Amino acid sequence: MADQKIPQVTAKRLPLYYRYLEKLHAIGKQRVSSAALAEALQIDPATIRRDFSYLGELGKKGYGYNVNYLLQFLRDFLRQDEVTNVVLIGVGNLGTALLRYNFYRSHNTKIVAGFDIDEGKIGMDIDGVPVYSMNRLKEVLELHSVEVAILTVPVSAAQSTTDQLVNAGIRGILNFTPARLNVPSHIRIHHIDLTVELQTLIYFLKNFPTNESKGEQNG
Ligand code: ATP
């Protein structure tokens, strides 16, 4: 697969390019220069040119990039038309909010099921997403070909639920708990600790009231 050959930093930027090109396409723009992309996305133009060079010959010197062509290319590349099914473990306050958040509309990612151990929650339907018992984890993951899970259980249950997910064949976990999870090396974990993020923001506001807060707003 071509996307395995490109650097991870580039791969991470491709969805940004894609979304911006979609906007340009929507307003009828036919072409865009790397300088204009750079300006809009706050990414160095040289970085953009380098990123696109990994994808092949996409632009001509002095002409810039053809928006339609680039969009189609990135769509194929990112397989944007393919829906990725995701599950969520722990249908508490945060979990419920994420279930209600419509990832699908903009990103083709769909939470197909929630899981919990609370009998009062099992069997519920939250904005069309069913909540299952943890006993049914493996069965539901297989049914929907799910490889990614969002973890919103209390920290005390983080490792045990992670072990269950690994046993059920999950490959990636978006961890919203503050726990550091132990997983085999083939499992990928992305960690979002909202408390730490908020504290970091407050720290920067207190200690660097002008520069950093401005930078964050622009970035
Ligand atoms: P609420 O009080 O409404 O449950 P909360 O977000 O404060 O919300 P937490 O204690 O953080 O609740 O738990 C989040 C969810 O994780 C709860 O719905 C809880 O039942 C569920 N949960 C706890 N332990 C497990 C577990 N081992 N496996 C799956 N879900 C679990």
Side-chain angles (χ1 to χ4, degrees), residues 89-96 115-118 121 134 152-158 160-161 164:
I89 317 295
V91 189
N93 290 309
L94 179 59
T96 303
F115 291 87
D116 212 290
I117 48 162
D118 183 342
K121 292 176 180 169
M134 288 296 284
T152 47
V153 293
V155 63
S156 56
S160 63
T161 43
Q164 287 172 274

